[in-house]
Amino acid sequence: MTDIIQLLPDHVANQIAAGEVVQRPASVVKELLENAIDAGSTSIQLLIKNAGKTLIQVADNGKGMSLTDARLSFERHATSKIKLAEDLFQLQTKGFRGEALASIAAIAQVDLKTKQEEEEVGTHIQIKGSEVESQEACVTPKGTVIHVKNLFYNIPARRNFLKSTSVETRHIIDEFQRVALAHPSIAFSMHHNGSEMFQLPVSNPRQRIVNIFGSKTNEKLVPVEEDTEMVKVTGFVGKPEFAKRTRGEQFFFVNDRYIKSPYLNHAVTAAFEGLLKDKAHPSYFLYLQVDPKSIDINIHPTKTEIKFDDEHALYAILRSAIKHSLGQFSVAPVLDFNRDSNLDTPYEFQQKQAETPKVEVDRDFNPFKEVSTRTSSGSSVGFQSRRQSAPQESWEALYTGLNDQNDEKDFSKVEFESDVVTGQLFDSSAVATSSTTFQLQKKYIISPFKNGMILIDQHRAHCRILYEDLLKSITVKAAVSQQLLFPLSLQLNAQETQMLQYLRESLEQTGFIFSKMEEEEIEITGIPTLIPESEVSILLDQLLSDFENEIPESGFLQTDLLAKSLAKSMAIKAGTHLDTVEQIAIVNGLFACKEPQLTPSNKKIFITLQAEDIEKKFM
Ligand code: ADP
Ligand code: MG
């Protein structure tokens, strides 16, 4: 029996490997540019002839190579960038496989001149089809200049498969742009057939984008910034109105390396949800910095695909960061619902100074004093029910609530005033003038925004606002209560009283004060400032029925249910007239919420009508 296995000669192995690394001239451009960057260059020039089929030349001012290294660099698996397999997880460089130069030299005529700073003379190597033809000393500036001529000269099949000059040039430009965008702090230039295509000075990311894509790009960019433990996101997205029909300017860079990621692309598109015309693609230039340990870039030979440890978290972070950025230049519908909006400033107030919250207490208040006029002030959404702010009423009026407990008329006279709990963070005159709103059918609030209009269900919106306020009061701080002059006593059955016992602590956090809670009687001496006294018994009834005779085990669920129920009862109803200040208070209050889109019971709070939807109606 004869042995048939033999080792492939190096130049054949190199040619085969070259098939993986070098698909077309653009692949050579990418590898050479990356080598120049890894060499610490601050200025890199690319020159091509005939779409790179005739010549690809890259000149850099990087650290250059020693005489031996210059020779070794063309060996397969010759790299200065990793020593151990583990180093792959600490990669700070573009290259690491040590295959590019060997592959390129196997399928082209390569001419390399290189010199290290401290050397007097440099080295000049000529290689053709993996064969070193000459190596000699030469005079050359610090850095490396590499010429790659007649690509695929020895593999006619590959050469014939190359596409037209314009297609191959397009590929090269794509690679050039990706590398240049990833490294704004390096100067780049590109010439094709003697004419300058790009001249990119050292700059910041924004200028780099503008230098590549034209000065009109500048106004289209919306900055994106997010810094989390897992990833730092910077960069820009294009404003929705400039989105393109074709997927054009979409760039992800992870640790300064261009990558393709359909998954992350989806996250971006999701952030643009509702803002783009059909089939339009947003542009984006997003730079992600992650711990090299958390990614695997080794899964694809040309290294444009990447595996992240926690893709899902990345998706969420990216989407929310972009939504937030879009929200800052547009309005409502693109607000970021995943973000802690407690930390955000409503748009109208970004330039304003916040005032210290004031607790208004009328020290001269005397319930037995007669005063004839009444005023109300402030912007927060609350009911006119605090005694202190109605000093003008005669003291008898304090009891009107008791008489018309179920009187709808009284309910429709809902008024808004400053809320003692949170105070007036922003001055109300600004609210009133910052935008225009209308009330429709005493049920909806209409507010225009840049791209159309928004239609808000007033009851649902108020529900959401109160719900979040209540949750805060219950979990974070005790709310202020209004003392009742005469205790309110309610007759309940034993089971109901027992349920209130369970909820007592939470209820007290919202401002209730119970002086008695036993058997079939409870006595209330204080109530939350947002509730009119006349509403208390209805509200507690509603609360008990919402709990459906069952108190959830978990404290959280209990609090949540309580807040939901109270919010629903307390919220202004449909049919209530709202004046402009009240409307605006609702709108602003809503969009200061963490989740302005849905009521606590997951019902839609507002709908938007985009300008184009309106236009369609007129067609
Ligand atoms: P890799 O980049 O994966 O290490 P390459 O085949 O691209 O493999 O390059 C081999 C080695 O040659 C590099 O590790 C580097 O040390 C050296 N080298 C290549 N290009 C340059 C350059 N422009 N300047 C300095 N050194 C270079
Ligand atoms: Mg390389």
Side-chain angles (χ1 to χ4, degrees), residues 16-32:
I16 295 170
E20 264 191 34
V21 181
V22 184
Q23 283 111 27
R24 52 178 15 126
S27 333
V28 175
V29 168
K30 174 176 190 275
E31 294 296 338
L32 297 185

Side-chain angles (χ1 to χ4, degrees), residues 52 105 163 226 270 342 344 365 398 422 562 584:
K163 298 265 164 45
E226 184 68 274
N342 291 328
D344 295 345
F365 173 60
L398 297 175
T422 55
L562 179 73
I584 291 173

Side-chain angles (χ1 to χ4, degrees), residues 31 34-35 38 81 94-96 98 100-101 303:
E31 294 296 338
E34 291 190 346
N35 279 349
D38 285 345
K81 298 167 195 174
K94 314 258 151 213
F96 55 87
L101 289 187
K303 296 165 285 183

Side-chain angles (χ1 to χ4, degrees), residues 176-348:
F176 176 83
Q177 288 181 345
R178 290 166 186 174
V179 173
L181 283 170
H183 299 276
S185 55
I186 299 175
F188 288 91
S189 71
M190 173 174 169
H191 289 81
H192 186 206
N193 291 341
S195 59
E196 180 182 291
M197 305 197 67
F198 295 98
Q199 191 61 252
L200 312 172
V202 172
S203 58
N204 63 30
R206 187 175 192 125
Q207 290 166 331
R208 177 55 54 93
I209 294 168
V210 171
N211 284 336
I212 293 179
F213 296 103
S215 55
K216 284 214 182 91
T217 323
N218 198 23
E219 56 176 295
K220 302 179 188 172
L221 300 178
V222 183
V224 177
E225 253 188 276
E226 184 68 274
D227 201 347
T228 68
E229 232 168 70
M230 185 186 158
V231 60
K232 181 170 189 261
V233 183
T234 56
F236 305 90
V237 293
K239 291 182 185 171
E241 58 263 42
F242 297 110
K244 296 189 166 178
R245 285 246 155 224
T246 51
R247 266 171 211 278
E249 295 145 14
Q250 301 191 326
F251 298 89
F252 280 121
F253 302 96
V254 173
N255 297 353
D256 301 333
R257 184 192 296 274
Y258 169 82
I259 61 133
K260 287 188 184 132
S261 170
Y263 186 68
L264 294 186
N265 176 65
H266 193 272
V268 179
T269 318
F272 272 88
E273 201 178 278
L275 292 175
L276 295 174
K277 294 194 193 95
D278 251 7
K279 297 199 186 89
H281 301 283
S283 42
Y284 54 83
F285 309 86
L286 294 167
Y287 300 79
L288 282 61
Q289 294 290 337
V290 297
D291 183 344
K293 280 199 219 61
S294 73
I295 50 172
D296 183 0
I297 34 185
N298 205 13
I299 59 170
H300 195 276
T302 49
K303 296 165 285 183
T304 51
E305 271 148 42
I306 198 167
K307 239 178 91 187
F308 297 97
D309 277 358
D310 192 350
E311 254 189 348
H312 295 302
L314 207 57
Y315 183 104
I317 293 169
L318 200 60
R319 178 167 164 266
S320 125
I322 296 170
K323 266 198 168 190
H324 181 69
S325 299
L326 289 171
Q328 285 187 321
F329 95 93
S330 183
V331 262
V334 288
L335 273 179
D336 175 12
F337 306 121
N338 298 325
R339 211 179 157 87
D340 184 352
S341 39
N342 291 328
L343 306 173
D344 295 345
T345 309
Y347 310 112
E348 293 83 354

